[in-house]
């Protein structure tokens, strides 16, 4: 049985939608993009030879105490400090080729953020 919890959220929270290449900012730049274990394993199973060849150049595994199932690997940033899957048209190569189901948890939820206040009451927000 699933238990629903109440959460605080601004009125505009559910209205947010990524506008992709029309965005004047870039959420794929200047920050670490962690890859969860399930997503990393999906990447390793993709049969596309070009994609498989690029994974070792674009994704690096965390090892030892730095690794967890939620923080299993990370995208290596390019010389402009941008995600290597970010295309010139402002869209994500992974999303374009394989759909949203192949995005890491980080990329699926960003810029949504959950902060717990007053014991275990979640507060939903958006951040840049």
């Amino acid at each position: 049985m699933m238990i629903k919890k109440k959460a605080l959220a601004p009125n505009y929270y559910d209205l947010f939608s990524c506008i992709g290449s029309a965005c004047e900012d870039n959420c794929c730049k200047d920050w670490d993009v962690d890859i969860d274990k399930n997503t990393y394993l999906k990447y390793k199973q993709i049969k596309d030879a070009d994609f498989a060849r690029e994974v070792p150049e674009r994704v690096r595994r965390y090892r030892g105490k730095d690794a967890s199932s939620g923080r299993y690997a990370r995208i290596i940033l390019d010389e402009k400090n941008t995600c290597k899957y970010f295309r010139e048209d402002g869209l994500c190569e992974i999303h374009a080729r394989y759909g949203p189901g192949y995005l890491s948890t980080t990329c699926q939820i960003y810029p949504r953020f959950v902060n717990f206040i007053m014991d275990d009451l979640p507060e939903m927000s958006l951040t840049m």
Side-chain angles (χ1 to χ4, degrees):
M1 181 167 98
M2 190 177 219
I3 298 173
K4 290 186 178 183
K5 282 187 154 189
K6 289 186 178 186
L8 298 175
N11 292 337
Y12 58 82
Y13 183 84
D14 290 330
L15 301 175
F16 172 79
S17 177
C18 174
I19 58 173
S21 60
C23 185
E24 61 189 50
D25 205 345
N26 174 353
C27 63
C28 301
K29 185 175 180 172
D30 296 328
W31 61 293
D32 293 327
V33 179
D34 285 332
I35 305 294
D36 55 281
K37 185 175 182 177
N38 290 337
T39 302
Y40 181 83
L41 295 176
K42 279 186 190 180
Y43 292 174
K44 299 298 272 184
Q45 294 174 354
I46 290 175
K47 302 291 186 223
D48 178 344
D50 290 335
F51 185 86
R53 187 174 38 257
E54 294 166 350
V55 168
E57 300 169 7
R58 296 180 177 196
V59 179
R60 180 89 16 92
R61 283 268 321 270
Y62 287 111
R63 303 285 181 186
K65 63 179 169 66
D66 293 332
S68 68
S69 62
R71 190 172 181 258
Y72 194 75
R74 73 179 185 287
I75 301 288
I76 301 165
L77 302 180
D78 67 13
E79 62 281 347
K80 295 177 185 174
N81 220 26
T82 302
C83 174
K84 288 195 175 188
Y85 289 104
F86 184 73
R87 302 186 322 189
E88 286 186 30
D89 64 1
L91 300 174
C92 172
E93 184 177 338
I94 293 170
H95 188 282
R97 285 168 106 174
Y98 306 107
Y102 280 82
L103 293 176
S104 69
T105 302
T106 300
C107 295
Q108 285 182 26
I109 64 170
Y110 192 83
R112 294 161 190 88
F113 184 76
V114 179
N115 185 37
F116 288 91
I117 59 172
M118 298 186 307
D119 298 321
D120 65 347
L121 179 64
E123 176 187 51
M124 315 302 283
S125 63
L126 301 169
T127 185
M128 256 325 260

